[in-house]
Amino acid sequence: MLVFLGLAALVLLVLIVWVIVAGPVTVYRIIRYGDTDIDDYSHYPGRILRAGDEPFHFARNDEALRVPPAVLQRYGHDGDLDRILAANDSIAFLIIQGDTIVYERYFQGHGPDSMSQAFSMSKSFTSVLIGMAIDDGIIRGTDQPITDFVPELADEGFDAVTIEHLLTMTSGSNYRENDNPFGEHVILNYTPRLRERILRVKMKDAPGEVFRYKSGDNALLALALDRALGAETISAYAQRRLWQPLGMAHDGVWTVDHEGEDGLEKTWCCLAATARDFAKLGRLTRNQGTWDGERVLSADWVVRSTRATLPEHVWPENLRSIGWSNYGYQWWLASEAMGDYFALGKDGQFLYVNPGAEAIVLRLGWSTGDLLSSEWIAMFQAIVKELP
């Protein structure tokens, strides 16, 4: 009995400390909803991105894809793509060449009209919005200090941190991307007081000297963009500059930290849309920022976003060893030779773009299944090489 009471007291103490550190609503959300998943957009407050007035629809040619099983043999299931996808927890898989869908499959009850959360694929959408804000003169440029928008961080040493540092994950902040429930990353995903949590970040390294993947850099971009936009929300700006011009065929949702006009979008994780609409961002960047002949985003931004930004000594060996060549503006660069790049989200959300082959591959899922992220990218590359 004494042991039981002691354990109960310890659990209670830990819970009290957790509530003090994270806040009661944050702890409630963590306990109530558990680990984040692709249905999170249905659990939390969010802003609707309305389908475009003139939806864009990819053409369809289900006979165009012929991938020999031998090409995919390394992934098991006799190299049969349908079976590989089904066995690895996929919910959607699209291959687009030019403006034509040459392969489209859905699993586990999902379909063309089903929404799911993009997780960190959302970062690449945020990057495009930052580029649009620069095009519009709302942000001066990538060399602008973050403290122009968030002066509260000047005393923390952020006066030398620029928009470019945040885009390239080289801010030097102490933010850690881990699953510690007491840590800032988990709290950031669940907190209803996002602005306050973002402002807790501290400096650790000199800006531009260390690449460390961290959602906190994207969250700072969100705060900067939010303040630059004034009364217009990030979602409203995305509706006007992205969702409408790209002819999104379905509504999307961008999750915010709390209800009300002052809610802030969780730009690093929490954009939800349908598979085909997600793929349209790939079409925009593949076409160098034009959409059906109209300039939506500067070509210069697309080029800068999808080229190597980090010197060799900064790029981590563990990423180099799996074949990922570098990092752009919130885009991963797959291979220098092919010039391909991709957006990557938790649990195997991929938007892969190969401009040379005019190809886009989109994969969504509950998890990566039995495959590593590097294996998924290698599969996309192998498939694209077989396109006519």
Side-chain angles (χ1 to χ4, degrees):
M1 176 63 76
L2 289 176
V3 172
F4 174 78
L5 291 175
L7 287 173
L10 179 60
V11 170
L12 181 60
L13 177 61
V14 170
L15 183 60
I16 291 171
V17 171
W18 194 16
V19 169
I20 292 172
V21 170
V25 175
T26 303
V27 172
Y28 167 79
R29 286 176 171 178
I30 294 172
I31 294 173
R32 171 69 177 80
Y33 297 114
D35 191 16
T36 55
D37 63 40
I38 57 174
D39 284 342
D40 270 8
Y41 68 91
S42 64
H43 301 156
Y44 304 106
R47 293 192 173 113
I48 304 297
L49 296 162
R50 299 296 178 190
D53 295 334
E54 299 180 8
F56 172 85
H57 298 287
F58 292 102
R60 289 286 303 273
N61 183 357
D62 293 325
E63 302 300 318
L65 184 68
R66 291 289 182 269
V67 180
V71 173
L72 303 177
Q73 201 74 40
R74 60 181 291 193
Y75 306 104
H77 306 283
D78 298 323
D80 182 274
L81 183 54
D82 281 17
R83 291 167 59 195
I84 291 170
L85 296 173
N88 283 284
D89 222 7
S90 303
I91 63 168
F93 197 90
L94 274 68
I95 303 171
I96 300 168
Q97 186 176 32
D99 285 338
T100 301
I101 296 174
V102 298
Y103 181 92
E104 184 175 27
R105 298 289 188 276
Y106 296 95
F107 307 88
Q108 303 189 57
H110 285 252
D113 299 336
S114 302
M115 279 203 306
S116 62
Q117 184 161 294
F119 289 116
S120 287
M121 268 177 31
S122 307
K123 292 180 172 73
S124 302
F125 281 82
T126 304
S127 171
V128 166
L129 292 179
I130 294 293
M132 290 173 170
I134 291 174
D135 289 346
D136 294 342
I138 297 169
I139 295 174
R140 188 182 70 224
T142 57
D143 61 345
Q144 191 164 7
I146 183 64
T147 48
D148 281 5
F149 306 99
V150 193
E152 301 97 313
L153 292 178
D155 292 341
E156 300 297 336
F158 279 80
D159 49 308
V161 176
T162 64
I163 297 296
E164 172 117 1
H165 291 135
L166 297 172
L167 286 165
T168 58
M169 303 285 189
T170 60
S171 67
S173 81
N174 66 347
Y175 189 95
R176 291 288 178 182
E177 195 99 357
N178 59 44
D179 294 327
N180 175 5
F182 289 87
E184 209 57 41
H185 181 61
V186 171
I187 293 173
L188 208 69
N189 278 283
Y190 292 88
T191 183
R193 305 172 70 175
L194 187 51
R195 290 177 177 83
E196 292 180 23
R197 300 306 306 199
I198 293 172
L199 292 174
R200 292 182 181 222
V201 68
K202 310 291 184 185
M203 287 297 292
K204 182 177 185 292
D205 305 299
E209 293 299 314
V210 177
F211 171 85
R212 188 168 58 249
Y213 184 82
K214 46 193 182 301
S215 294
D217 281 3
N218 187 279
L220 274 172
L221 286 172
L223 188 54
L225 181 58
D226 176 69
R227 290 182 174 182
L229 289 171
E232 188 174 28
T233 67
I234 292 174
S235 294
Y237 187 64
Q239 175 77 49
R240 178 166 61 86
R241 290 290 275 110
L242 190 63
W243 224 254
Q244 187 75 21
L246 269 57
M248 299 302 194
H250 297 88
D251 289 353
V253 177
W254 214 322
T255 299
V256 295
D257 59 341
H258 63 265
E259 298 278 7
E261 294 182 0
D262 62 340
L264 182 61
E265 284 80 358
K266 297 195 283 188
T267 57
W268 66 92
C269 68
C270 301
L271 177 65
T274 64
R276 292 175 187 168
D277 283 346
F278 277 138
K280 291 172 185 176
L281 188 74
R283 182 181 189 259
L284 177 68
T285 60
R286 189 197 66 193
N287 292 342
Q288 298 292 293
T290 63
W291 193 266
D292 291 346
E294 297 292 327
R295 174 63 59 189
V296 176
L297 175 66
S298 66
D300 177 67
W301 184 262
V302 176
V303 171
R304 292 168 63 191
S305 296
T306 58
R307 73 181 180 193
T309 58
L310 306 175
E312 187 174 345
H313 75 276
V314 173
W315 188 236
E317 177 57 36
N318 65 316
L319 295 174
R320 185 181 293 110
S321 66
I322 62 173
W324 296 1
S325 66
N326 212 292
Y327 195 70
Y329 288 173
Q330 310 277 290
W331 291 93
W332 298 92
L333 310 189
S335 66
E336 190 173 349
M338 297 177 71
D340 48 349
Y341 54 90
F342 59 98
L344 170 64
K346 174 180 177 285
D347 295 336
Q349 322 311 316
F350 296 93
L351 174 58
Y352 169 84
V353 184
N354 189 313
E358 296 189 5
I360 300 164
V361 180
L362 181 87
R363 187 270 178 182
L364 306 176
W366 283 104
S367 75
T368 57
D370 295 328
L371 303 180
L372 300 174
S373 292
S374 57
E375 292 177 303
W376 280 107
I377 296 300
M379 182 194 298
F380 304 157
Q381 292 172 325
I383 291 172
V384 166
K385 286 179 181 179
E386 297 298 319
L387 293 175

